[in-house]
Amino acid sequence: MSAAKMQNTSDIVSYPTLATQYWLYPIVFTLFYYGYDLISGWKSAKKNGELPLHGPLPTLLPPFVLNLVYAAKAASLMEDGFRRFKDKAYQLLRNDGSMVVLPASLLEELSALPSTIASPHSALERDLLGDHTGLDVILETRMHHTIVQRKLTPRLSTLTSYLEKELTLAFDEYFPACDEWTEFQPYQVFAKVSARLSARALVGPELCHDATWLDISVNYTENLFRTIVILRLFPGWTHRIIRYILPSYWKGKNYIQKAKDLLGPIIQNLLDKGDNEHWTPSTSEEQANVLHWLADAAKGNDRDANTLSHVQVLLALASVHTTLLRMVNVLYDVAGSPDHFSLLNSEIEDVRYQQPSWPSSVYGKLDKLDSVLRESQRMSPPTTVGLKRLFKQPYTFSTGLHISKGSYVCLPIFAIENDPEVTPNPAKFDGLRSYRLRQEYESGDRKRDDHLFSSMEPTVLNFGYGKSACPGRQFASLIIKMVFVKLFTEYEVKFLDGEERPQNLMAHEFLFCWPWHKMLVKRKFDGACPF
């Protein structure tokens, strides 16, 4: 090769290519996905295109980013949207598509729609990622709803004395020995108490002491919400990959299998007895529980031991999670307003004087305590959105609002209840707010009952509304009142020196309590519970 050719060769400039600049790959992918996700968001919003989009730069930011904003600030987004649109529907974009937020004026019509048009079960399964948490079973059976509505709630008066006895045992076991002020963690203690009480109603007097079942009752719920909160940060197409690296996913699956291993043989035995001996549960203490009622009531495909075991896990999830959050927040709220301790103690003593035998009906006479529960739930609800529906068919509301098939809709229930036009001075905890409203009506007037903790109103929707409302709300009311009658009559509780009411944690639309917060408790020298 000549010197000239060698010189020309050496003068050739080698330019970098995409194949050698590996650092460009993530940038190219990010830009590509940004554009793809942005276009997907526009298409999702176009399904209900006449509705305005709400959120930070909703037409410029892709759903992946908007979803992260929602995860961190769902409550404030809903409140801002409520103030901005008030009587109009609007859309928010999340990873799972457009979320249509309806005005309160459509409550009655929405709640009256049959599930063939607007399904609450499908919406709940979608929110709780049924494919990844085991909650897709709610699409296969309605036994968890039916058994509470038709068996548990009508028999609460029968169960009350059993629950009181179990509560006494649970307090003796889980509360610290505390003749002097002693530190304790309310969340941890109440989780065990709530699990024991729920288990007494769900699985009976023997299994409610079973360590495996109590572990499932508390920790399945904890791991389920960890899985949901983390997975919902990411686009749906990644869930089947990410779930495998989440310890909470595997623990959740393991808890469901443990429940089937524990309860399955017992339920199968009851199913066989029903098939061969025409057995039905008695009213005895051993058989007056949901496990026996399920085995008796199940028909067709529901008559399966594994399915009914899974249903029991769902019931434990609903009862323990709901009552635990309320117990902790009521304690925080009352401790933050110390005058409520004396008010509630006085009410308990007054009712006790009037009915010293303390019958099961007595909890309905604790009007001030009921008001405190309702006020606490107003300020610290388990979720900020409700009346969730997934539309199975297109539908046009009487106002002309058209909702396309496949749309997910909801109501901003926290914003509705805390509207100053509905609740004056909503930032203030006023434990007797509902009590005063009830006093405006004559005794016996049914309107008094509109303001109970377990009641539904068009502006109080934490338990749902209409035919799909939570069937276990009376059970929750009973056991929460029972816990605080015991606590207030036998113990004193206060915050650590210099501390105030702790703030709740929010992730997506869900509310959680920090589980390791400490308070001080002391047993009263002359305290005596009425049961």
Side-chain angles (χ1 to χ4, degrees), residues 256-411:
I256 292 174
Q257 187 57 52
K258 280 185 177 182
K260 292 177 180 179
D261 293 341
L262 175 67
L263 301 182
I266 300 170
I267 294 174
Q268 187 60 56
N269 180 55
L270 295 176
L271 292 174
D272 292 342
K273 285 178 65 177
D275 292 337
N276 301 326
E277 305 172 22
H278 303 291
W279 164 87
T280 56
S282 70
T283 57
S284 68
E285 184 173 353
E286 289 71 25
Q287 296 191 18
N289 56 70
V290 170
L291 186 144
H292 285 78
W293 299 330
L294 274 173
D296 179 50
K299 308 295 181 186
N301 292 335
D302 289 335
R303 204 166 176 78
D304 174 80
N306 281 337
T307 298
L308 297 182
S309 298
H310 203 156
V311 167
Q312 285 279 41
V313 176
L314 298 188
L315 292 171
L317 158 67
S319 60
V320 174
H321 177 66
T322 302
T323 56
L324 172 57
L325 285 181
R326 193 52 35 228
M327 289 175 192
V328 175
N329 278 288
V330 167
L331 182 61
Y332 289 166
D333 290 327
V334 173
S337 306
D339 58 309
H340 283 67
F341 276 119
S342 58
L343 285 171
L344 297 175
N345 267 310
S346 295
E347 178 180 58
I348 294 168
E349 289 304 315
D350 289 345
V351 172
R352 184 182 195 174
Y353 178 78
Q354 297 167 15
Q355 296 189 284
S357 63
W358 201 257
S360 60
S361 60
V362 76
Y363 294 98
K365 299 183 183 300
L366 298 172
D367 295 336
K368 292 178 182 177
L369 177 56
D370 189 276
S371 180
V372 166
L373 302 191
R374 185 176 169 108
E375 179 74 352
S376 178
Q377 182 151 277
R378 177 185 70 80
M379 299 193 74
S380 305
T383 177
T384 58
V385 300
L387 277 293
K388 304 169 183 177
R389 300 290 189 272
L390 190 64
F391 274 70
K392 300 294 188 178
Q393 301 177 29
Y395 181 79
T396 301
F397 283 92
S398 57
T399 59
L401 173 65
H402 181 75
I403 301 296
S404 60
K405 179 181 178 180
S407 296
Y408 172 102
V409 308
C410 66
L411 264 69

Side-chain angles (χ1 to χ4, degrees), residues 474-501:
Q474 286 90 356
F475 175 68
S477 177
L478 173 65
I479 65 173
I480 296 168
K481 288 177 183 177
M482 199 178 286
V483 165
F484 283 106
V485 167
K486 176 79 170 175
L487 182 68
F488 292 156
T489 55
E490 293 192 350
Y491 295 86
E492 296 178 72
V493 184
K494 65 179 182 180
F495 295 123
L496 297 178
D497 291 344
E499 289 195 359
E500 298 179 345
R501 190 205 193 285

